[in-house]
Amino acid sequence: MLTTRLTRFAARAAAVAAAAFILLPQGATAADSTVASRAVGPMPLAQSIDLLPVGVEDRTGYNRSKFKHWVDADKDSCNTRAEVLIAESRVAPTVEAGCKVTAGQWYSYYDGVIVTVPGKLDVDHMVPLAEAWDEGADDWTPQRREAYANDLDVERSLVAVTAKTNRSKSDQDPADWLPPLADAHCQYAADWVATKLRWDLTADAREINALRSVAAGCGHQTVEYEPAA
């Protein structure tokens, strides 16, 4: 495990050295600079793939219950799933007592389907919980795993999609599953890589090769991410 941790640290240092930059708006303060300095990118998708630390998947000890979700982190009666549905609805959603989302309009970018019934949606972890465990989350504290499973700070981490596509994806990485809508592949690969870089997760050789194959057709796709606290 020590070797794995050192590899991740070295890759993160290389990523920051090679790709990080700060662009502050005119009149920005020093506090703004501190926040902006955490952002890495934007960079071409192919370049971002090269920053992924290479690892070997190991699912030993995995149990979905080790990633506590969906939680109500800000105690506003809306759990993480409800927060995502409210944020991603294209129209003002109908939210009933207890933060029950009963109507709205969502675009499932995996398959290009518009959904108006929230019960037909799943909130997908961009990088599935099992995949995260395989690639580094087995070393995390329960608190960090909970933060990962309920990451509302970056919109790509959790995405509302049709239940059909989410369940087709299951816990597979891009070597075994890509969205059925071909036009979504570039965005999906960028979101996947950004999530892995944000949380300092490794990628295995098959996964990296699959991502590179996608990136070959995504000349204008960029990636940027902010390392998780």
Side-chain angles (χ1 to χ4, degrees):
M1 288 297 184
L2 177 59
T3 301
T4 300
R5 291 192 187 100
L6 289 174
T7 299
R8 290 176 191 152
F9 178 82
R12 169 57 55 76
V16 173
F21 69 93
I22 305 172
L23 287 177
L24 295 180
Q26 200 168 20
T29 66
D32 295 327
S33 176
T34 300
V35 173
S37 66
R38 292 179 54 78
V40 181
M43 70 191 90
L45 174 58
Q47 180 183 344
S48 72
I49 295 168
D50 291 338
L51 300 180
L52 290 170
V54 180
V56 178
E57 291 191 358
D58 183 0
R59 197 158 296 189
T60 303
Y62 171 71
N63 190 301
R64 189 174 175 83
S65 65
K66 292 183 177 180
F67 293 81
K68 185 179 178 182
H69 67 290
W70 307 111
V71 302
D72 178 10
D74 58 5
K75 308 301 180 186
D76 66 349
S77 299
C78 298
N79 67 18
T80 303
R81 172 184 163 85
E83 298 274 16
V84 173
L85 294 180
I86 292 168
E88 293 192 4
S89 179
R90 293 176 147 192
V91 300
T94 302
V95 184
E96 298 182 355
C99 201
K100 182 179 181 181
V101 182
T102 58
Q105 185 186 92
W106 296 269
Y107 177 72
S108 170
Y109 95 81
Y110 289 2
D111 48 3
V113 174
I114 293 175
V115 179
T116 57
V117 179
K120 294 183 178 180
L121 293 165
D122 280 353
V123 172
D124 182 38
H125 290 94
M126 174 53 57
V127 175
L129 302 181
E131 171 75 11
W133 178 273
D134 295 349
E135 306 283 14
D138 58 325
D139 278 342
W140 294 353
T141 63
Q143 293 75 21
R144 187 167 178 81
R145 286 197 286 267
E146 179 178 328
Y148 176 84
N150 299 275
D151 185 9
L152 292 170
D153 291 334
V154 177
E155 63 181 16
R156 71 174 64 86
S157 296
L158 299 167
V159 57
V161 294
T162 56
K164 178 180 179 180
T165 55
N166 183 49
R167 294 167 198 184
S168 171
K169 172 183 174 178
S170 185
D171 58 6
Q172 299 175 97
D173 70 30
D176 297 304
W177 190 90
L178 288 169
L181 183 65
D183 286 348
H185 289 186
C186 293
Q187 185 64 56
Y188 183 79
D191 290 347
W192 180 278
V193 174
T195 302
K196 284 220 159 178
L197 292 172
R198 169 170 167 75
W199 289 93
D200 201 18
L201 295 168
T202 62
D204 65 30
R206 288 184 68 245
E207 175 187 346
I208 289 173
N209 287 338
L211 288 166
R212 285 175 175 157
S213 293
V214 174
C218 304
H220 298 292
Q221 184 68 53
T222 60
V223 170
E224 57 185 310
Y225 68 97
E226 179 181 325

